Amino acid sequence: MSSRTPAPVPVLAEERTIFRHGWVQALATVLNGLGAMVLTAALGLWAAGAGDLPDGAFPRVVAAAVVTAVGGTVDVTGDAGDLAQTAGGLTVMPLSVTLVGALVTGAGFLRPLRHRALAGAPELAGWAARIAVLWVLGLTGLAYAARRTFAVSLGDGILGDIGDLFGATPRIGFAADVPLTLLAGVLWLAGVLTLALLVSRGAPLPTRLLRLQESARPAAYAMVVLLLAFVALGTVIGLVVAVTRGQPTQYLALILLGMPNLVWLALTTGLGATWEGRVDGPFGLPMPHVLDEVLRGSDTATLNLGTIADSDGRVWWLVAVDAVLLLAVAFLMAARSPARTRAWQHAVRMAVALALTVLMICLTGRISAHYGLSVLGIGDLGGNLSGALFLHARLWGALGFALLWGLVAGFLGALLARRVRRPGDGLTARVGGRGG
């Protein structure tokens, strides 16, 4: 009797129940993901001094930081009456908040999938859809909370005198664009869940996608390790500098808000990519002073190994760091790939994966911010009450260098991994033995 009753049936039924009635697990995934992002943004903004904002604006700024971290749009608004004009805009992603949210949300998505060999596409789609529905609801609340208006002081100069004379009290604020934020947030979530499936060895894939286990999964895993290694290295350096040079809150704010913005830019720069930018007015970049120095003082400055080396020759160490870490992750990728995979295949897959990674960095690492104020035409949206900042990569050059580095590192990593036991070694040996 007992031999006729298969043991896995109750377990399989329980797993299917999780997918069909997984609203509690989906809610926990969304709450943990958004909660981790809110906490990270709050601590980073507090360290940056945003806790002193007037009119209880701190929670609103935290909500705005989370909105931008998932690719949402926050518009800078102004109301200065008939006598004054205001203009402004802001585009930036605090990638530390983005990274924390992606890691926590991805882990929550994968948790019910553990210990399963296969999962049907409808099951995975249903599980992801539950998370997406609750995600949209949570993000909608944050988007509506991400709005606040402030009164702007005109100072003690001529603008202040004119403002007092005519009673002009400019107000500048911010407000999230809810529809665009929801669209970007859903795309962000889809990317996170897809990447989580690709990276995890233990997560089941639908039968039609099983071929990705051999080609895409090792490459995706290698790229995630590469990105996290740069963040970990940058965090350690930031903590050491904070302890040795003081100003711990400033470096804590950098770590909690923009560490990936800095270290992933360094990754692409070490590969040979060129960024263009400008810093004008009181704006500053969450970067070492040497980078701010290169970008300040001209209409459009070029940021690459050569221009940075003119101010600090230590930048050439980035090339060595990139080479070592790329070779390490290429070896890891080859070690996780089937033994029958040829070296040129590793090289091509590594090149494509690295190019996609650099593309992601270039798109998410762009910064654009400007604001200005004038009263009765005085100020011309300039002077001390204005500023501008932008930073973007020369995309095609960056992708070209990524392909070249990926080909070389992937080929060398495959050669180094030849002596490592890899998936399929045992099967290959048995087949070879029978053939002999």
Side-chain angles (χ1 to χ4, degrees):
M1 293 292 293
S2 60
S3 61
R4 296 180 181 180
T5 305
V9 170
V11 177
L12 182 60
E14 180 181 355
E15 290 172 342
R16 292 185 181 275
T17 301
I18 290 176
F19 284 103
R20 293 175 181 174
H21 309 287
W23 287 104
V24 174
Q25 294 92 333
L27 179 61
T29 298
V30 172
L31 290 179
N32 289 337
L34 290 177
M37 298 177 79
V38 168
L39 179 61
T40 304
L43 291 175
L45 290 169
W46 170 81
D52 298 329
L53 291 173
D55 303 327
F58 180 68
R60 309 283 184 167
V61 176
V62 172
V66 175
V67 164
T68 57
V70 298
T73 301
V74 174
D75 298 323
V76 177
T77 59
D79 180 11
D82 297 332
L83 301 177
Q85 296 178 349
T86 60
L90 175 65
T91 302
V92 63
M93 289 184 70
L95 291 180
S96 291
V97 182
T98 304
L99 180 61
V100 169
L103 292 175
V104 175
T105 304
F109 172 68
L110 294 175
R111 188 173 295 114
L113 303 177
R114 292 175 300 177
H115 312 303
R116 295 199 61 184
L118 294 173
E123 290 179 323
L124 289 176
W127 175 231
R130 286 163 174 78
I131 295 176
V133 169
L134 297 174
W135 175 264
V136 168
L137 293 176
L139 191 59
T140 300
L142 286 172
Y144 276 108
R147 56 185 64 206
R148 178 63 72 180
T149 302
F150 306 90
V152 179
S153 173
L154 297 177
D156 299 328
I158 185 172
L159 290 179
D161 295 337
I162 294 176
D164 292 339
L165 177 63
F166 292 98
T169 305
R171 299 181 66 82
I172 296 179
F174 60 89
D177 187 318
V178 178
L180 289 179
T181 294
L182 295 182
L183 176 61
V186 170
L187 294 176
W188 180 90
L189 179 66
V192 168
L193 300 187
T194 302
L195 185 60
L197 278 177
L198 288 178
V199 170
S200 174
R201 259 184 171 178
L205 290 174
T207 305
R208 294 181 179 180
L209 299 180
L210 286 178
R211 63 182 182 275
L212 295 178
Q213 292 188 152
E214 296 185 359
S215 58
R217 270 188 165 169
Y221 181 82
M223 292 302 101
V224 170
V225 170
L226 176 67
L227 294 177
L228 293 179
F230 265 89
V231 173
L233 181 61
T235 301
V236 171
I237 294 174
L239 291 174
V240 171
V241 174
V243 172
T244 57
R245 297 186 182 179
Q247 298 178 326
T249 57
Q250 176 182 343
Y251 287 96
L252 179 62
L254 171 60
I255 291 171
L256 293 174
L257 294 176
M259 180 56 70
N261 298 72
L262 173 59
V263 296
W264 294 347
L265 180 144
L267 164 62
T268 60
T269 303
L271 295 178
T274 295
W275 292 69
E276 295 178 340
R278 177 189 176 192
V279 178
D280 183 31
F283 278 124
L285 287 169
M287 299 176 181
H289 176 70
V290 61
L291 300 186
D292 185 89
E293 188 178 73
V294 172
L295 295 174
R296 192 179 295 273
S298 61
D299 291 337
T300 300
T302 300
L303 189 69
N304 56 32
L305 288 171
T307 57
I308 301 175
D310 292 337
S311 300
D312 191 340
R314 292 175 298 178
V315 70
W316 293 107
W317 280 103
L318 290 179
V319 179
V321 173
D322 278 9
V324 171
L325 290 181
L326 281 175
L327 187 59
V329 298
F331 171 83
L332 179 63
M333 171 184 160
R336 291 171 66 94
S337 299
R340 63 180 178 275
T341 306
R342 299 178 179 178
W344 69 265
Q345 292 175 309
H346 286 297
V348 171
R349 292 170 184 174
M350 180 75 178
V352 173
L354 185 59
L356 291 175
T357 301
V358 169
L359 175 62
M360 180 275 297
I361 294 173
C362 293
L363 294 179
T364 60
R366 290 190 286 185
I367 300 174
S368 176
H370 70 277
Y371 75 93
L373 170 68
S374 68
V375 179
L376 290 178
I378 299 177
D380 193 23
L381 299 177
N384 294 328
L385 295 174
S386 73
L389 181 154
F390 73 88
L391 182 67
H392 59 82
R394 292 180 182 173
L395 189 57
W396 294 112
L399 295 180
F401 279 112
L403 288 172
L404 180 60
W405 277 81
L407 287 172
V408 175
F411 188 83
L412 293 178
L415 296 181
L416 292 175
R418 281 184 172 180
R419 297 182 178 275
V420 177
R421 183 177 180 83
R422 292 181 281 168
D425 280 348
L427 178 61
T428 302
R430 289 196 297 271
V431 173
R434 291 176 183 177

